[in-house]
Amino acid sequence: MTDQRKAPARRRFLKFAAMVPASLGLSVSWAKAQEAMIPTSDDMEGPYYISNTPVVRNLNRFGKPGEVMRIAGQVMNAADPDVPVAGARLELWQTDGRGRYHPQESGDYSDFRDDQIDLRGTVIADSQGRFDVLSVFPAEYWPRPPHIHYWIRADGFRPLVTQHYLDTGPGTRPHRTARVLRDQRPALYPAPTFYIEPV
Ligand SMILES: [Fe+2]
């Protein structure tokens, strides 16, 4: 194949250690165990996506049960992995600490009362592609390990729907899995970096 951009070999793996922001204070031994896939692989949307959720700083808008947790990560350009995607728009949705989505339905924000929409929201990345949002640890629900869903969009980039996994369990993807750092207050989920593809 002459067009390397379309070749399977384009999927590259980098040691996550090189990509972890020093500000997160992660140990090298832990980071070395992680890998990043470039571009980030997609994953199933699942049955409970709701479009046009409001922009939030805390996904837990109405105090659902669960261990409080910060999610902090970054969106980068897969064609140039050192370059952040400023202003990327991330839609997140996840379960509460008891394994329930709010609501357990799909649709559009306008289909529901505002107080039915919880543990979902839109987050806008800053000029460095970084995002930081409060939430709770999502409980697993059979047969899935704990995970967070994402739709990521940015002008000039292909939309990405994917999932991140928390702690390692069966069915997770190593390059999209990280441990919650419970020695921080609040606990921190250092989301594996997203690498999205230019159109
Ligand atoms: Fe899910």
Side-chain angles (χ1 to χ4, degrees):
M1 186 177 293
T2 54
D3 185 355
Q4 289 298 313
R5 289 174 59 83
K6 294 179 181 175
R10 190 177 177 215
R11 287 210 175 272
R12 292 167 286 163
F13 289 88
L14 292 184
K15 284 295 182 188
F16 191 53
M19 313 306 292
V20 173
S23 60
L24 294 180
L26 303 181
S27 71
V28 172
S29 59
W30 178 82
K32 276 186 174 176
Q34 308 300 309
E35 290 181 324
M37 176 181 270
I38 301 176
T40 297
S41 55
D42 59 8
D43 205 332
M44 58 185 166
E45 179 184 288
Y48 299 138
Y49 171 63
I50 293 177
S51 53
N52 294 309
T53 51
V55 173
V56 295
R57 299 182 70 89
N58 187 347
L59 294 174
N60 194 12
R61 304 171 68 220
F62 296 102
K64 294 296 186 295
E67 174 192 356
V68 176
M69 177 182 87
R70 241 179 88 209
I71 304 169
Q74 193 171 22
V75 183
M76 307 295 280
N77 184 340
D80 195 345
D82 295 329
V83 176
V85 179
R89 187 176 185 88
L90 302 98
E91 297 169 81
L92 290 75
W93 68 106
Q94 62 162 87
T95 65
D96 64 20
R98 296 174 183 162
R100 288 191 64 81
Y101 287 92
H102 300 278
Q104 301 249 105
E105 296 180 59
S106 60
D108 185 81
Y109 174 75
S110 61
D111 299 330
F112 302 91
R113 291 194 324 267
D114 182 63
D115 64 1
Q116 292 179 288
I117 303 293
D118 212 355
L119 289 167
R120 307 166 174 278
T122 299
V123 178
I124 310 297
D126 67 12
S127 62
Q128 294 302 305
R130 295 187 188 282
F131 64 95
D132 196 326
V133 65
L134 279 171
S135 189
V136 296
F137 189 99
E140 60 187 308
Y141 60 91
W142 190 89
R144 307 293 321 285
H147 61 277
I148 300 167
H149 295 267
Y150 294 84
W151 256 111
I152 303 174
R153 295 180 173 86
D155 291 343
F157 289 83
R158 193 170 299 170
L160 173 69
V161 60
T162 193
Q163 300 180 30
H164 270 164
Y165 297 93
L166 296 91
D167 297 329
T168 302
T172 63
R173 306 288 186 274
H175 51 276
R176 284 193 269 113
T177 301
R179 279 188 315 199
V180 174
L181 306 178
R182 290 190 163 86
D183 59 345
Q184 304 209 20
R185 294 288 179 272
L188 171 65
Y189 180 69
T193 301
F194 294 104
Y195 298 91
I196 62 174
E197 294 182 277
V199 174

